[in-house]
Amino acid sequence: LARNSNLTTEQIDLLYSTEGVNKDYLTPYSKLTDEQFNRFYGDSEVEKNSFARNPNLTTEQIDLLYSTKGVDKDYLAQNSKLTDEQFTRFFNDEGVGKNYLAQNPNLTTEQIDLLYSIKDVDKDYLAKYPKLTDEQFNRLFNNEDVNINYLAQNSHLTPEQIDLLYSTVGGNKNYLASDSKLTDEQFNRFFNDKDV
């Protein structure tokens, strides 16, 4: 139960106070109130690094964890909704891998473009995780170094992008079927497709 990301405030409190529950499971998944975050952060039984994977952190919580010894900044970069200032700090931090930033689903258009321009950034991560503009989608789709199956796993695709990937030879339609928001027509097409 502690790993469930849909817990209510009361359920989190109940699990936190229940003997035998690993509190470290509550911190990466749950949407914590400020009071809960502060209580967990101040609890010596809770590993500070366990917060780093939580995608629901506030700006202040990200800043606190960024400056906390032992917290994996790569995971903070990968999961958190970063302000422009925080993104720049992570981007310029030599201890943070750019590929972790590329996996962040909350990147802005400008941040995606910046990461795309970096030679060593794995473009497959940019194809799979963030919400892409049509121009960015086309750039990745036409990049021979990008595996289109990563694009097919992107949950932010438009109906037109889904149709294009569906008709592309070598693409795995199962990714589109499981990860995309389908129109009724697309759902029926996938439903009746023997390859899906």
Side-chain angles (χ1 to χ4, degrees):
L1 283 173
R3 294 181 192 214
N4 187 319
S5 62
N6 300 304
L7 297 173
T8 66
T9 301
E10 295 76 18
Q11 292 165 340
I12 293 167
D13 286 341
L14 176 61
L15 288 168
Y16 180 82
S17 63
T18 301
E19 188 175 330
V21 172
N22 186 336
K23 297 174 186 176
D24 288 336
Y25 290 155
L26 289 168
T27 55
Y29 306 107
S30 303
K31 186 168 184 165
L32 305 171
T33 65
D34 286 337
E35 187 276 323
Q36 288 171 327
F37 177 88
N38 292 332
R39 180 171 9 121
F40 289 20
Y41 184 84
D43 188 329
S44 61
E45 294 179 23
V46 176
E47 176 64 41
K48 303 293 184 273
N49 195 43
S50 67
F51 288 96
R53 293 181 188 256
N54 191 320
N56 302 305
L57 298 172
T58 66
T59 301
E60 295 77 16
Q61 293 164 351
I62 295 166
D63 287 342
L64 175 63
L65 291 169
Y66 183 88
S67 64
T68 301
K69 185 177 181 179
V71 171
D72 191 326
K73 293 177 185 177
D74 286 334
Y75 291 135
L76 269 178
Q78 180 182 36
N79 297 296
S80 301
K81 185 168 183 163
L82 305 172
T83 64
D84 288 336
E85 188 273 325
Q86 288 171 327
F87 175 86
T88 301
R89 185 179 340 134
F90 280 98
F91 184 83
N92 292 323
D93 186 328
E94 292 183 16
V96 176
K98 303 284 189 287
N99 282 317
Y100 285 94
L101 274 172
Q103 295 175 59
N104 189 315
N106 303 301
L107 296 174
T108 67
T109 300
E110 296 78 16
Q111 293 165 350
I112 294 167
D113 287 341
L114 176 61
L115 288 167
Y116 186 86
S117 71
I118 306 295
K119 180 182 177 212
D120 294 334
V121 169
D122 188 333
K123 308 308 185 260
D124 288 337
Y125 293 138
L126 290 173
K128 181 177 179 179
Y129 295 101
K131 185 174 184 176
L132 306 168
T133 65
D134 286 336
E135 190 274 325
Q136 290 169 330
F137 173 86
N138 290 329
R139 185 182 334 139
L140 290 162
F141 181 80
N142 293 311
N143 183 332
E144 63 187 35
D145 294 328
V146 173
N147 183 329
I148 62 164
N149 288 319
Y150 281 88
L151 271 173
Q153 294 175 65
N154 189 312
S155 62
H156 306 289
L157 298 175
T158 66
E160 296 77 20
Q161 293 165 347
I162 294 168
D163 287 342
L164 177 61
L165 289 168
Y166 181 86
S167 64
T168 302
V169 175
N172 187 329
K173 296 175 184 177
N174 290 322
Y175 291 134
L176 288 169
S178 65
D179 297 322
S180 301
K181 184 176 180 180
L182 304 173
T183 64
D184 288 339
E185 186 276 323
Q186 288 169 329
F187 176 86
N188 289 327
R189 187 180 343 135
F190 280 92
F191 184 78
N192 293 310
D193 187 329
K194 293 176 185 167
D195 293 331
V196 175

